[in-house]
Amino acid sequence: MDKIRIIGGVPLRGAVEISGAKNAALPLMTAALLTDEKLVLNRLPYLADIITLANLLATLGCELSLHTNRRDYQENRSLTLHAKRLLSVTAEYDLVRKMRASVLVLGPLLAREGKARVSLPGGCAIGPRPIDLHLKALEQMGAVIELKEGYMDAHVPGGRLKGAEIQFDKVSVGATENLLMAASLADGETILGNAAREPEVTDLARCLIAMGAKIEGLGSDRLKITGVSRLHGATHDVVADRIEAGTYAAAAAITNGDLELLGVSAELMQSVIEKFGESGVLFIPTERGLRVRRENGLMHGVDVMTQVFPGFPTDMQAQFMTLMAVADGASMITETIFENRFMHVPELARMGANVTVHGSSAMVRGVPALKGAQVMATDLRASSSLVLAALAAQGETVVNRVYHLDRGYERIEEKLAACGARIERIG
Ligand code: EPZ
């Protein structure tokens, strides 16, 4: 089923369960490789990327079992991972090319086994996405990494990584996560300077501490890890997905509806709340999460520049652009994290959006309404921006290649239909 059909124009009303964050669940799953005991992850989102990584971990010898129950007002999916002994240290190209976050097994394998053979991930639609920062930092900890036939062949002479003082040239979520895991079992103290501060990084650090790791500086750009000889099992709730929440907030705003986002808190998304607020969209805290609606029926154009956390997230750029496409006035949107993250622009233009791209900036001039059309998803967040446009557009839209959506949004058509959207999966 590769297409989604939407008839736009319905103000969305109701409540949406926000799942655990994809970008927290993925590194948390690889953390299971650091111990021979069980790691239990609650609030696991059920997404294509999670299944891909589960398959990769299984090839390494990790046993996985999934249980579902209801907790509070939400469905809870609990994944137990048990890497009692590893059967392989190779992450095959076929799995890594599907999901570049597979490189997050590199740090744990080197920390646990002292060796790893991981396919270099290819680039992806939004940019070349090198992993030089991961490799340089691991080499500073004593790893020897050679590139052979597209694979990184890594080993640690002497068997154990050594703590090091690392200063990242650029803020990298993945590199910070790989090194957090590697340093947890290293010999001695590691400092990560210019570390990423995303909530998903902090969530991983919290889980590692629950497993016995010694980490200081959570939430800051300077992390200090004192290596220990072993880590034990733990149970951890995956932090709520602030990007999924921001996407549904945009759905409420663009349809002039009123949605309660269940299970997410404001501190995960301050910069999003501020920007939405400037454009006339309110986030009202409730006992169960956050309620989102327009302040007085009108939205106005505001400028935004994506930044590393706590700035406005790059993963919300496409969704916000769609909102600005129907706001009153103009909005300058600047993408500073990835090189090619405007692929939603030509598709939005097919729906009547007025957007002009100049390098890493896009000038959006609001139009009274978008019109339904056949459009093509190109990457995860671009595809969600097309769904948002379709929800507000006059008439019917068909979004093609929706497998991109399934990588990052759990049951999106069910969650939207439950709030009144006229949406169905077809083809
Ligand atoms: C994570 O990707 C997220 N993915 C991305 O979400 C998110 O957009 C990104 O962080 C930025 O917030 C996961 O967590 C699984 P980076 P990651 O390393 O870790 C450059 C989504 O839509 N860089 O912070 O790969 C890189 O090219 C996805 O959910 C290097 O140059 O991002 C990029 O320009 C998309 N060398 C910038 O840094 C390196 O060694 C930020 O990348 C590593 C990164």
Side-chain angles (χ1 to χ4, degrees):
M1 304 278 264
D2 185 29
K3 298 182 171 81
I4 278 183
R5 176 179 24 219
I6 296 169
I7 312 281
V10 178
L12 299 184
R13 296 189 194 295
V16 181
E17 288 186 16
I18 299 304
S19 305
K22 163 180 85 82
N23 291 350
L26 293 171
L28 286 166
M29 286 169 70
T30 63
L33 298 172
L34 292 165
T35 175
D36 59 4
E37 296 185 11
K38 289 183 181 177
L39 175 64
V40 179
L41 298 176
N42 289 315
R43 277 196 78 168
L44 194 92
Y46 198 65
L47 300 166
D49 276 7
I50 299 291
I51 295 165
T52 303
L53 184 58
N55 291 336
L56 168 56
L57 293 174
T59 65
L60 302 178
C62 183
E63 290 164 13
L64 303 105
S65 58
L66 193 63
H67 308 281
T68 303
N69 56 43
R70 286 244 11 122
R71 202 170 73 167
D72 309 330
Y73 38 77
Q74 296 200 291
E75 179 179 76
N76 171 51
R77 193 165 290 105
S78 180
L79 177 68
T80 299
L81 303 102
H82 194 189
K84 195 169 178 52
R85 66 183 66 76
L86 295 184
L87 305 177
S88 159
V89 294
T90 297
E92 298 292 347
Y93 170 70
D94 194 42
L95 283 168
V96 176
R97 74 179 173 78
K98 275 189 205 141
M99 208 245 334
R100 47 177 307 98
S102 312
V103 293
L104 291 172
V105 302
L106 190 54
L109 286 175
L110 286 176
R112 170 91 182 264
E113 297 289 307
K115 56 181 189 284
R117 184 169 173 272
V118 177
S119 168
L120 257 182
C124 84
I126 62 178
R129 300 184 74 184
I131 57 166
D132 55 309
L133 298 172
H134 302 235
L135 304 182
K136 187 177 152 203
L138 289 168
E139 285 167 342
Q140 274 185 260
M141 297 186 71
V144 173
I145 306 174
E146 295 165 274
L147 181 59
K148 287 181 189 162
E149 296 140 27
Y151 279 79
M152 292 171 288
D153 230 332
H155 72 281
V156 184
R160 193 177 181 195
L161 292 167
K162 301 242 176 313
E165 171 105 26
I166 293 161
Q167 183 68 19
F168 289 116
D169 297 342
K170 188 174 186 179
V171 173
S172 162
V173 169
T176 303
E177 290 165 345
N178 240 335
L179 271 292
L180 256 178
M181 292 188 278
S184 295
L185 287 178
D187 179 12
E189 185 177 279
T190 297
I191 300 289
L192 299 182
N194 202 22
R197 299 172 54 196
E198 272 66 7
E200 296 75 30
V201 174
T202 302
D203 201 45
L204 172 65
R206 285 204 182 102
C207 180
L208 291 170
I209 289 168
M211 294 166 70
K214 292 183 170 38
I215 304 171
E216 296 165 64
L218 267 60
S220 80
D221 63 359
R222 181 177 167 77
L223 298 170
K224 183 167 98 174
I225 306 103
T226 307
V228 294
S229 54
R230 66 182 296 279
L231 293 175
H232 50 72
T235 294
H236 179 80
D237 287 2
V238 178
V239 69
D241 194 324
R242 60 195 170 101
I243 305 300
E244 183 193 25
T247 305
Y248 285 106
I254 203 166
T255 60
N256 199 7
D258 187 335
L259 288 181
E260 185 178 15
L261 311 178
L262 307 181
V264 66
S265 55
E267 89 254 359
L268 290 176
M269 46 198 306
Q270 272 312 335
S271 58
V272 170
I273 293 172
E274 277 158 30
K275 267 304 155 193
F276 274 59
E278 282 174 42
S279 70
V281 178
L282 289 179
F283 279 70
I284 304 148
T286 68
E287 270 164 44
R288 304 193 299 177
L290 293 167
R291 188 176 156 211
V292 185
R293 61 175 175 77
R294 289 187 194 179
E295 195 169 357
N296 60 14
L298 251 188
M299 286 190 303
H300 11 273
V302 293
D303 296 346
V304 71
M305 183 179 277
T306 64
Q307 300 285 1
V308 297
F309 193 86
F312 191 89
T314 174
D315 292 348
M316 275 297 299
Q317 179 257 107
Q319 300 90 312
F320 195 73
M321 182 185 288
T322 301
L323 216 48
M324 294 297 98
V326 292
D328 180 37
S331 157
M332 173 72 88
I333 296 182
T334 304
E335 172 59 56
T336 70
I337 306 293
F338 288 108
E339 297 82 353
N340 183 30
R341 208 167 196 180
F342 284 146
M343 285 170 296
H344 43 289
V345 170
E347 299 305 313
L348 290 174
R350 291 174 49 74
M351 300 178 73
N354 180 345
V355 185
T356 310
V357 174
H358 293 289
S360 63
S361 290
M363 172 55 80
V364 186
R365 292 177 176 85
V367 295
L370 297 174
K371 293 184 178 43
Q374 285 263 11
V375 289
M376 184 78 75
T378 52
D379 62 273
L380 169 55
R381 305 304 174 185
S383 49
S384 70
S385 74
L386 300 178
V387 170
L388 293 172
L391 290 169
Q394 294 165 346
E396 176 180 289
T397 298
V398 175
V399 182
N400 294 280
R401 295 189 184 167
V402 286
Y403 58 83
H404 290 292
L405 260 182
D406 298 334
R407 296 191 51 182
Y409 292 94
E410 183 175 350
R411 299 180 291 115
I412 190 165
E413 68 266 26
E414 281 174 42
K415 293 186 179 183
L416 287 171
C419 301
R422 287 175 293 189
I423 180 169
E424 60 175 340
R425 201 173 278 253
I426 57 173

